[in-house]
């Protein structure tokens, strides 16, 4: 996968959201190197109320590298304002055994002065079966 761009989430939020999962899961670099390009060492992601620090996130990457065959990210909304970011996007992972996992994510983050992420709060919901969940009720 060629040389990664050095743009931070503060420079290019949409690029980060689409590039980062691919670099982590399918890239040649060590996950900790990729992580450090976009996040501070004391970064904390609170996903649906559960705090995940750098080590817990890197542990999760091992599972993704082993099981994911494809990852697609569709960014619906993204905003950078001063030291804050917000985004709404859908991440879809196709697993090696064929399972498709689609997750809608609402993300709110705080940037450092160098444009890396310091903290992220996000809410997520599984939309893998969106057609059946959001379908209009029949009479």
């Amino acid at each position: 996968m060629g040389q990664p761009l050095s743009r931070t989430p503060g420079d290019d939020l949409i690029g980060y959201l689409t590039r980062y999962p691919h670099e982590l899961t399918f890239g040649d670099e060590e996950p900790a190197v990729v992580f450090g390009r976009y996040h501070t060492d004391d970064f904390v992601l609170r996903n649906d109320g559960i705090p995940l620090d750098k080590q817990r996130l890197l542990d999760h990457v091992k599972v993704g590298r082993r099981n994911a065959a494809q990852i697609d990210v569709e960014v619906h909304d993204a905003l950078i304002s001063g030291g804050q970011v917000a985004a709404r996007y859908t991440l879809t992972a196709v697993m090696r055994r064929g399972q498709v996992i689609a997750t809608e994510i609402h993300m709110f983050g705080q940037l450092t002065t160098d444009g890396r992420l310091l903290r992220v709060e996000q809410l997520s919901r599984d939309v893998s079966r969106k057609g059946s969940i959001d379908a209009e009720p029949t009479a």
Side-chain angles (χ1 to χ4, degrees):
M1 173 179 219
Q3 184 72 324
L5 299 173
S6 60
R7 298 194 56 151
T8 65
D11 295 326
D12 179 13
L13 183 58
I14 293 172
Y16 159 77
L17 293 170
T18 57
R19 193 172 48 246
Y20 177 66
H22 287 273
E23 288 181 25
L24 269 183
T25 309
F26 306 115
D28 296 330
E29 292 180 290
E30 287 295 317
V33 172
V34 176
F35 181 91
R37 186 169 25 257
Y38 302 110
H39 309 91
T40 62
D41 282 338
D42 58 344
F43 173 80
V44 174
L45 164 70
R46 187 174 307 274
N47 184 61
D48 296 330
I50 300 169
L52 303 167
D53 64 6
K54 177 181 177 179
Q55 190 56 54
R56 285 187 71 188
L57 289 165
L58 290 175
D59 290 344
H60 180 70
V61 169
K62 293 176 189 173
V63 175
R65 283 189 168 203
R66 192 171 49 242
N67 295 326
Q70 178 181 336
I71 294 176
D72 294 305
V73 176
E74 180 183 358
V75 179
H76 309 293
D77 299 294
L79 175 68
I80 302 170
S81 179
Q84 305 291 317
V85 296
R88 183 177 61 89
Y89 62 101
T90 303
L91 186 145
T92 304
V94 179
M95 309 313 279
R96 295 193 192 281
R97 295 186 178 197
Q99 180 185 14
V100 177
I101 302 168
T103 307
E104 182 179 71
I105 300 167
H106 296 247
M107 177 191 106
F108 307 90
Q110 179 182 359
L111 299 167
T112 59
T113 56
D114 67 1
R116 293 183 300 154
L117 284 165
L118 173 64
R119 178 181 55 81
V120 166
E121 301 281 337
Q122 68 182 32
L123 301 170
S124 64
R125 70 182 183 124
D126 183 349
V127 292
S128 301
R129 297 178 43 195
K130 184 177 179 184
S132 60
I133 294 171
D134 292 343
E136 299 262 341
T138 57

